[in-house]
Structure formats: C-alpha cells, structure tokens
Amino acid sequence: MSSKSYWHLSRSLGTQTGMTNDWLKDQGLISIRDQWMKAHGYA
C-alpha cells in the first residue's frame, strides 16, 4: 500500500529484486515478449 502510482512503484528496488522474471514464471504468468516472438516467427 502506497500513495505512489503503480508506475513509480514498478521502478522501486523491492519490486525489481523481488519480482524477477523467474518468479513471475513460477507464479504461472506467461511472457508477453515470448508470445510476441512466437507470433512473429522468432521462436
């Protein structure tokens, strides 16, 4: 909980170190980048 905006919080040290790409993948989220690359024939 913070009075700061989501965009500002996304750049905080806690978010950058705690919510890594590996952690997000472990949570079951898909990578938008990977989906875009697959759709355009890069992967």
Side-chain angles (χ1 to χ4, degrees), residues 4-34:
K4 299 185 188 292
S5 68
Y6 296 120
W7 183 256
H8 182 79
L9 289 173
S10 71
R11 304 284 297 184
S12 70
L13 178 62
T15 303
Q16 294 293 314
T17 57
M19 296 179 72
T20 62
N21 287 336
D22 290 334
W23 183 83
L24 292 170
K25 188 175 186 178
D26 290 343
Q27 298 302 308
L29 299 175
I30 61 170
S31 167
I32 294 173
R33 178 183 177 272
D34 291 345

